Amino acid sequence: MTARLNLFAPEFRADPYPIFAELRRQPTLARVEPIGFWGITRYADALEVFKNPQLFTSTGQAAIAEPAWLGQRNPFAHSVVMLDPPRHTRLRALVNRAFGQAALSRLEPRIRAYAQQAAAELPLGRLVDFIDSFALRVPAAVIGELLGLDASLHPRFKRWADDIVHTTSTPPDAHEMQARIRATYQEMQQYLGEVLEDRRRSPREDMVSDLLAARVDGESLTGEELMGFLFLLLVAGLETTVHLLAHSALVLSERPDVLARVRADRSLLPRFVEEVLRFAAPAQTAVRSTTADTELSGTRLPAGSHILLFLGAISRDEAQFPNGDRFDLDREGQANMPFGHGIHFCLGAPLARLEARLALEALFDRCGGLEGDAGPVQWNESITVRGPKVLPLTLRPA
Ligand code: HEM
């Protein structure tokens, strides 16, 4: 019998990992309710899908991202992450440079300064929401910088990103929410359009100017591709990194032994960040659709079947990561896929890793201890990214 998983079941929202473990033990793929997708929880199956973009297309997501009530084209649905070759290859080549080492080196001192400022302003010795007071601030400043948006707009980014993410999960009768989301699209297009216009007139040393200047075989990005890319950056680059920092703080508050080791030896930080990415995958899903009839793990998949890859399940697969449910700072060299794999491998992965390292360094300079409030964690509702909604912590001085 086909195993089933309900995305909206309270026990799945609270803790998907025991459910993932059970599904990995089933011989076939799971049916994902209520959306009717096939769910992938095993590492080997995920690798097969990621490595075969001809058979497992990324374009099927666009239809879901553009519901009729939106009343306009969704720039996100035409961004690089929802394209197949050859268009994907061309667009990715164009934007690659904007994420290269030169761009990162240019950003590094700015990220460090943002992180130090956010850490300096952290209230110590009393309960604070770590998300609002720290985890959100660094990625928001970085995205603001990448998109060339005024710092006064940073507080809006979370709402913008939330609304874009919720476009796919808003019920047909949720008219108020739909109106809010439509307004957000208008607002974003207006601000981002102004930035594009400004950089076109007077280029600067930033990513938007790089994107405008990028050429492959004499071709530049179209207006829609540029807007799609800026929308994607906001969603892909903000919430994921916020959750990476929140998960890091959660682990550190629960494991004082790990905190002591990493604080004492900062060279362990990259290893710590990798294990957090494995143990608590910030991006929880990737979507694909089959272009022809095929079979995976004994499950027949007719052409046009939709597939949800559960990155959080894949990264705890015992077949790839022994004792996968255990956070282990000494884990050695087991290839993981928290940033996906293959042609769509996350363009922002080096940036996210850099942000996490610099943010945690700044945090350790200021704080010697992180204490939770012992209450249950309230998790967010998204199926794309997973992290705490709020994270009450008391931070002790270094
Ligand atoms: C912890 C942080 C992050 C995680 C876990 C993450 C995860 C992912 C994953 C899983 C994919 C692949 C999606 C697929 O195969 O369908 C992806 C793609 C992408 N990510 Fe990230 N991401 C993170 C941060 C960032 C940042 C900071 C940026 C940029 C500012 C970024 C930009 C992108 C872009 C542009 C793509 C599309 C690449 C393509 O389709 O070729 N991400 N990300």
Side-chain angles (χ1 to χ4, degrees):
M1 209 182 73
T2 308
R4 288 176 189 275
L5 172 155
N6 184 345
L7 285 177
F8 301 109
E11 61 276 17
F12 179 74
R13 305 303 324 159
D15 184 3
Y17 294 106
I19 298 171
F20 288 150
E22 178 55 36
L23 293 178
R24 280 194 305 268
R25 286 192 283 273
Q26 303 297 321
T28 58
L29 302 186
R31 199 73 178 155
V32 182
E33 307 293 3
I35 54 176
F37 285 25
W38 290 102
I40 288 191
T41 52
R42 275 181 289 267
Y43 185 94
D45 288 337
L47 201 56
E48 181 80 16
V49 172
F50 277 136
K51 278 165 66 175
N52 288 298
Q54 308 86 336
L55 186 55
F56 299 99
T57 170
S58 290
T59 55
Q61 307 168 71
I64 311 165
E66 231 165 24
W69 59 258
L70 195 60
Q72 65 156 82
R73 277 166 78 83
N74 180 353
F76 187 53
H78 305 277
S79 68
V80 66
V81 75
M82 298 200 188
L83 294 177
D84 287 341
R87 236 181 125 207
H88 170 265
T89 320
R90 183 187 143 261
L91 212 60
R92 185 158 167 130
L94 282 175
V95 296
N96 228 345
R97 197 169 73 99
F99 284 93
Q101 194 46 53
L104 281 195
S105 305
R106 195 167 65 200
L107 267 176
E108 182 164 343
R110 308 276 301 156
I111 302 176
R112 184 174 288 111
Y114 289 133
Q116 284 169 346
Q117 190 186 340
E121 288 167 16
L122 266 173
L124 302 182
R126 67 177 168 85
L127 216 52
V128 290
D129 175 15
F130 184 79
I131 311 273
D132 238 16
S133 47
F134 192 75
L136 186 59
R137 289 191 56 188
V138 180
V142 173
I143 289 295
E145 175 107 10
L146 290 182
L147 302 188
L149 288 171
D150 197 80
S152 64
L153 294 171
H154 291 183
R156 294 187 199 200
F157 292 173
K158 183 89 170 61
R159 176 170 59 80
W160 286 0
D162 274 352
D163 282 353
I164 300 177
V165 169
H166 281 104
T167 312
T168 47
S169 56
T170 300
D173 56 351
H175 300 299
E176 217 170 286
M177 189 161 171
Q178 292 170 4
R180 193 186 102 167
I181 293 178
R182 276 195 297 269
T184 295
Y185 275 78
Q186 296 298 329
E187 193 181 325
M188 284 178 66
Q189 272 163 317
Q190 189 197 322
Y191 280 114
L192 296 171
E194 282 168 13
V195 172
L196 284 169
E197 215 24 69
D198 179 72
R199 297 302 188 282
R200 224 174 242 125
R201 277 196 307 266
S202 31
R204 291 191 207 163
E205 278 245 316
D206 63 15
M207 182 173 282
V208 177
S209 308
D210 280 356
L211 289 174
L212 281 162
R215 301 279 183 281
V216 167
D217 299 333
E219 250 190 286
S220 52
L221 277 87
T222 64
E224 187 172 53
E225 286 168 344
L226 279 165
M227 188 59 83
F229 195 72
L230 300 188
F231 263 65
L232 170 63
L233 279 189
L234 198 92
V235 177
L238 185 70
E239 301 224 34
T240 48
T241 317
V242 172
H243 293 320
L244 172 57
L245 292 176
H247 287 302
S248 300
L250 202 53
V251 169
L252 293 168
S253 69
E254 286 166 355
R255 294 284 304 268
D257 57 318
V258 173
L259 173 64
R261 274 184 71 189
V262 186
R263 276 200 82 229
D265 178 0
R266 304 280 175 98
S267 72
L268 290 174
L269 259 175
R271 177 189 278 267
F272 170 78
V273 171
E274 288 318 297
E275 182 61 354
V276 173
L277 283 163
R278 187 200 67 78
F279 181 73
Q284 282 276 313
T285 52
V287 178
R288 297 292 187 270
S289 313
T290 51
T291 55
D293 295 357
T294 187
E295 203 182 298
L296 203 60
S297 264
T299 309
R300 212 178 61 75
L301 301 170
S305 304
H306 296 305
I307 293 172
L308 206 52
L309 295 107
F310 287 103
L311 302 176
I314 292 156
S315 63
R316 291 200 187 195
D317 187 345
E318 291 282 327
Q320 178 74 8
F321 309 101
N323 294 318
D325 283 330
R326 207 172 146 253
F327 185 93
D328 181 0
L329 193 55
D330 299 309
R331 204 174 277 281
E332 287 296 344
Q334 291 138 346
N336 188 18
M337 300 189 280
F339 295 106
H341 180 80
I343 63 166
H344 288 280
F345 179 78
C346 176
L347 271 169
L351 174 61
R353 288 177 165 129
L354 179 68
E355 280 184 58
R357 180 169 63 74
L358 297 176
L360 291 171
E361 272 175 11
L363 184 70
F364 291 164
D365 286 344
R366 174 128 162 101
C367 306
L370 293 84
E371 289 159 25
D373 71 345
V377 176
Q378 291 177 44
W379 298 99
N380 69 341
E381 274 114 34
S382 163
I383 55 167
T384 322
V385 287
R386 176 175 160 86
K389 258 195 230 171
V390 287
L391 184 54
L393 288 181
T394 304
L395 305 163
R396 301 291 173 202

